[in-house]
Amino acid sequence: ALAADRLGMNEPRAPWQQLAGLAVLAVAVATSRRQPLAAYVLAAALGLATAPALFSVSYGPALGVLALLLGLRAPRPHPA
């Protein structure tokens, strides 16, 4: 997330917004083992709050990883 901001791949954001985004990602990672759905929703909300597209350069990779963990850690996985 920080690298995308530093390289200019996103619209410029204030430092407090960058830190808030990292804090939300930290909470999502911390809760991903016990509440994988909540962690995924946090990452999705963060992506939607920063850009109109769900998959943003900053938070898209985190969204993909948390989606994978959601599938692996779901209480009752269902076949596709």
Side-chain angles (χ1 to χ4, degrees):
L2 285 177
D5 290 338
R6 298 285 181 223
L7 293 173
M9 300 172 91
N10 293 325
E11 293 182 19
R13 288 186 284 180
W16 70 268
Q17 288 175 324
Q18 294 174 358
L19 291 175
L22 289 176
V24 171
L25 283 181
V27 170
V29 169
T31 61
S32 67
R33 184 165 299 276
R34 292 187 181 210
Q35 297 292 326
L37 182 59
Y40 177 78
V41 168
L42 276 174
L46 182 61
L48 285 174
T50 60
L54 179 61
F55 194 84
S56 66
V57 175
S58 290
Y59 306 113
L63 185 63
V65 169
L66 290 170
L68 173 71
L69 291 176
L70 174 61
L72 292 175
R73 296 176 177 164
R76 293 182 306 148
H78 300 286

